[in-house]
Amino acid sequence: MLNIKKVLDSLSKKRPIFHAEADFQQSLAWEIREHYPESQIRLETKVFGADRKVYLDILCVYQGRKYAIELKYKTLSYNCTINDEEFALNNQGAQDNGRYDVLKDVQRLEEMVAAGVADEGVLIFLTNDKSYYAMPTQEITAVDRKFRIHEGMTVNGGLFWAEETGKGTMKGREKSIHLKGRYVMNWETYSLLDNSSKGEFRGLMLRIDKTDSQQEEKLECPSWFQLFSKKGEIPISQRDLIEKVANHLHEIGYKVQINREIGKDKIDLWAVKDTKVLAIEVRYKTALLQTIYGDSEMHLKKQGAQDISRYDYINDIGKLERVVQGRPDVKGYALLITNDHLYWQQPKRQNSVDEAFHIHDGHVVAGVCSWKEEASQGTTSGREKPISLTHSYKMNWQPYLQLGEKKNELFQALLVEVR
């Protein structure tokens, strides 16, 4: 097994400081070979994504096991001479972007390990900038507060910029980060060149294995929806679906109200049974389908406008967050049933105007969701306001009903439990 900690400890005695990240990368690769001569080392190699240019800092293969290593080296201005070699480090700044990039690398390593491209991932971050590792003395209110990696911090789940973040800060880093594993930040001294704060380098090392990449909590489908799905009902409209779900909940013992007003919001279904309360928002979107189901002819219209419908679904989640907040007895659910594959399949087009509202299978929605600047007024009319989510939500689609193998004969359901 590759002992990266041992390699780093050895390297720190030979190279307590580096000119830049590339210098750190080459030095670490050389040190690995010194300790493990039979290992195979590759730098800047493409290891993940058949159609994407995604490169890894170091790929090490040792005893049949692949190690994916990502490096970060962030500095404050500092000048020194070590063994007759002069070093003049730049003041890199932009710590908010630096924190984002570190955690983005962790997400990429999780993806590599989950895909089987690597057996283990390792993130190594060296810095002489204490703003990365020092514990704050007061509450953090900065726009990058979700990306903090200081000593003792635990990081997991959905991470996103605060709503007030400027576009300049987020440029190229707009997407939220979702970590399946749970990581505790444990910084250690890498080298101490003098008694100044800039003369101390500290290191953070995070390891990612198969367990971490699959650690995400899986929410079971609630029994009320499992029972409803077994009925195999095809609604003719969204209103019809609301009534069908309401009738089903009534059959299993719930007292149901349709369009119940809760504060300033109106909830499609409010169902109460003993101490259980369900708040359910319902969506039904159809693609063109003409068929016979049972003894009835089915005529479903092509509704289209998927971008608008995605916005509405995310808006339902935001509404339910407001409703369940402070009500521990209430469980919120955002339900969408459709036979339109454009909702659950990942869009082929990248950087679409509704990218923040995508709900395809496996996608994670978090933070502030808003239209791209180039979105037309016709698209955003009545839906201009960004949607701010407190929590992150992974889109897990499930089969609802399969009529046959023809186009649009598969119905799928997306049911998100809102916290």
Side-chain angles (χ1 to χ4, degrees):
M1 192 171 181
L2 198 68
N3 189 335
I4 296 293
K5 178 68 166 57
K6 177 182 176 182
V7 173
L8 272 177
D9 288 344
S10 175
L11 181 61
S12 68
K13 296 177 176 62
K14 302 174 184 178
R15 293 294 310 275
I17 187 173
F18 304 94
H19 293 285
E21 190 169 292
D23 182 23
F24 177 32
Q25 178 191 46
Q26 294 171 4
S27 300
L28 179 60
W30 185 270
E31 192 68 18
I32 293 173
R33 282 300 299 269
E34 288 285 310
H35 286 260
Y36 303 95
E38 65 274 34
S39 63
Q40 299 178 25
I41 306 290
R42 298 289 183 271
L43 304 183
E44 299 295 334
T45 184
K46 184 178 179 182
V47 295
F48 182 72
D51 57 351
R52 292 187 299 160
K53 290 185 177 180
V54 179
Y55 292 89
L56 180 68
D57 289 337
I58 300 175
L59 175 65
C60 176
V61 181
Y62 177 66
Q63 294 184 345
R65 189 173 175 84
K66 295 180 180 179
Y67 297 85
I69 305 173
E70 286 285 359
L71 307 177
K72 284 287 179 284
Y73 186 65
K74 297 294 182 181
T75 61
L76 292 177
S77 59
Y78 181 71
N79 299 324
C80 68
T81 301
I82 304 292
N83 297 327
D84 296 327
E85 185 177 1
E86 294 184 1
F87 292 83
L89 304 184
N90 294 326
N91 187 7
Q92 296 181 321
Q95 291 85 355
D96 46 7
N97 288 343
R99 296 182 184 101
Y100 178 98
D101 291 343
V102 166
L103 296 174
K104 187 68 174 180
D105 278 351
V106 175
Q107 177 181 275
R108 291 176 63 240
L109 289 169
E110 284 190 342
E111 292 171 350
M112 293 178 195
V113 173
V117 175
D119 297 294
E120 184 175 331
V122 183
L123 182 284
I124 303 172
F125 181 25
L126 292 186
T127 184
N128 69 332
D129 185 346
K130 66 183 298 182
S131 63
Y132 283 106
Y133 58 78
M135 294 183 66
T137 57
Q138 57 188 13
E139 183 183 359
I140 302 172
T141 58
V143 295
D144 68 332
R145 51 188 175 267
K146 291 288 185 179
F147 304 121
R148 291 288 164 145
I149 54 175
H150 55 263
E151 174 65 30
M153 188 72 177
T154 299
V155 181
N156 73 300
L159 311 172
F160 42 86
W161 297 101
E163 186 173 358
E164 63 271 20
T165 309
K167 292 183 179 179
T169 298
M170 293 191 299
K171 187 175 181 181
R173 297 175 174 86
E174 296 86 355
K175 289 186 177 181
S176 59
I177 296 171
H178 191 85
L179 302 182
K180 296 181 179 180
R182 181 181 295 269
Y183 305 94
V184 179
M185 305 297 113
N186 181 22
W187 291 83
E188 296 184 1
T189 297
Y190 175 78
S191 62
L192 188 60
L193 302 177
D194 58 38
N195 292 327
S196 70
S197 61
K198 295 181 181 180
E200 180 182 9
F201 281 81
R202 291 200 186 184
L204 173 69
M205 184 170 70
L206 302 176
R207 306 187 77 125
I208 298 94
D209 59 21
K210 201 73 173 179
T211 303
D212 292 320
S213 65
Q214 297 175 335
Q215 207 176 75
E216 188 175 41
E217 179 183 5
K218 293 183 178 179
L219 298 175
E220 293 184 1
C221 182
S223 59
W224 67 264
F225 186 70
Q226 290 182 16
L227 294 172
F228 178 74
S229 298
K230 289 180 179 179
K231 293 183 175 182
E233 295 186 299
I234 301 180
I236 59 174
S237 65
Q238 184 164 297
R239 179 66 187 181
D240 185 34
L241 175 58
I242 291 173
E243 292 178 352
K244 281 179 164 55
V245 175
N247 291 336
H248 166 71
L249 291 170
H250 180 74
E251 290 172 3
I252 59 176
Y254 283 88
K255 294 181 180 179
V256 184
Q257 290 178 272
I258 296 178
N259 290 331
R260 165 75 183 268
E261 291 186 0
I262 304 293
K264 296 180 179 180
D265 295 306
K266 187 176 288 187
I267 300 299
D268 290 337
L269 295 171
W270 185 266
V272 181
K273 181 180 180 182
D274 300 325
T275 59
K276 296 180 181 179
V277 182
L278 306 179
I280 307 171
E281 284 292 287
V282 178
R283 296 279 167 187
Y284 185 57
K285 298 299 173 182
T286 59
L288 183 64
L289 180 63
Q290 296 185 9
T291 187
I292 296 176
Y293 181 59
D295 296 328
S296 303
E297 291 185 359
M298 302 296 304
H299 298 277
L300 300 182
K301 297 180 179 180
K302 178 183 177 181
Q303 295 182 329
Q306 291 85 0
D307 48 2
I308 292 174
S309 297
R310 294 184 186 107
Y311 177 98
D312 291 341
Y313 183 79
I314 301 302
N315 195 48
D316 284 347
I317 294 177
K319 180 199 298 186
L320 288 167
E321 280 193 340
R322 293 192 297 271
V323 168
V324 301
Q325 186 178 19
R327 296 184 174 95
D329 57 326
V330 180
K331 283 194 172 183
Y333 293 98
L335 172 63
L336 168 61
I337 295 178
T338 182
N339 67 327
D340 187 343
H341 69 278
L342 295 178
Y343 288 103
W344 67 74
Q345 288 185 1
Q346 183 171 355
K348 295 180 180 179
R349 182 184 175 187
Q350 300 294 318
N351 300 317
S352 59
V353 296
D354 68 329
E355 184 178 20
F357 308 114
H358 283 182
I359 55 174
H360 56 267
D361 190 47
H363 188 61
V364 176
V365 180
V368 180
C369 306
S370 57
W371 299 99
K372 291 285 183 66
E373 288 185 358
E374 58 269 27
S376 67
Q377 289 184 350
T379 297
T380 63
S381 179
R383 297 173 173 84
E384 298 87 354
K385 189 177 180 180
I387 302 168
S388 182
L389 301 179
T390 303
H391 301 284
S392 63
Y393 302 93
K394 186 173 183 179
M395 305 294 107
N396 291 315
W397 287 81
Q398 55 188 293
Y400 174 74
L401 182 65
Q402 177 113 36
L403 300 181
E405 301 297 329
K406 296 180 181 179
K407 185 178 181 180
N408 301 333
E409 289 190 336
L410 171 63
F411 287 77
Q412 297 242 65
L414 176 60
L415 183 68
V416 170
E417 182 176 336
V418 179
R419 304 187 295 279

